[in-house]
Amino acid sequence: MLKLIATKLMMAALVALTVSAISFSLVYMAGDPAISLAGENSTAEDIRIIRERYGFDRPVVMQYLDWVWSALRGDLGTSHYFNQPVSEIIMDRLGTTVTLGVSAIILALIIALPLGVVAAVRPNSWIDRLAVFFAVVGEAIPSFWFGLLLIVIFAINLGVLPASGSSTWQSFVLPTIVLGYFAAPALMRLTRAGMIDVLSSDYIRTAKAKGLKPRKILFKHALRNAVIPVVSLAAVQMGFMLGGSVVVETVFALHGAGFLAWQSISRNDLPVMQALILMFSMFYIVFTFLADVLNAWLDPRLRGG
């Protein structure tokens, strides 16, 4: 298991290094950043001053190494729009994104696990078809459209929930439903497939032959083994939701890191864009690594390797 963890950790470090290089190069993909910051009516002297002020006249490799070293120390630069440290701006918004992500993954598991178990226990029944329909619809509906639909129904027509903002817990209800429903289908299908596979295994038939109660067989023996890949996928989904909440936060005007990403793009705030891309990628890398480690710890075959 230690060898597996070391291998996964090395791969995660290589991916993180690649992501940092891509994040830094985004500044130059749209052209000269000094010209972009100076604006349309700027003179050559204005561009020269900006290039010297922000260090754009230095070799790109040196700029990248300095940026990585500063990022490792927690210094992500200064926002061109807010004129504040990027790390402070992101930390002010990160709590909203984490709250939304945690709430959404909990809702997804509450929906997916019972529905997947029931669908596996009664395959080809109406509940199984309903679960499959739920999964197909959840994966087909765009999150922004689903969010707008919920706003029209619950905020405009019924007036029971706010359409935007993050001042109260009610503001998180609709975005949590949207983000949780987006993650639930994959978890439900994996739970169903795992339960069907486990329920047809030899040790389950042996447990039935010994006269164990069906509820004990289902929850103590079958679900405990079938849930291993589901836990791993939930950890990956958590990283994805923390990094992929840009659309949901924008639709509901939640002032989190995702909404900040949209604002930074529209304002051409390059340091904030770089930091957010790096942070979102790190979320996904870290949670993927944790999922692999957790899967190795839960699976006896991997634990003994």
Side-chain angles (χ1 to χ4, degrees), residues 39 68 105 166 192 293:
V68 171
I105 197 64
S166 56
R192 177 183 178 275
V293 174

Side-chain angles (χ1 to χ4, degrees), residues 199-212 217 221:
L199 289 174
S200 62
S201 60
D202 292 336
Y203 76 90
I204 294 295
R205 285 192 288 266
T206 303
K208 292 179 180 179
K210 290 182 178 180
L212 296 180
I217 295 174
H221 297 282

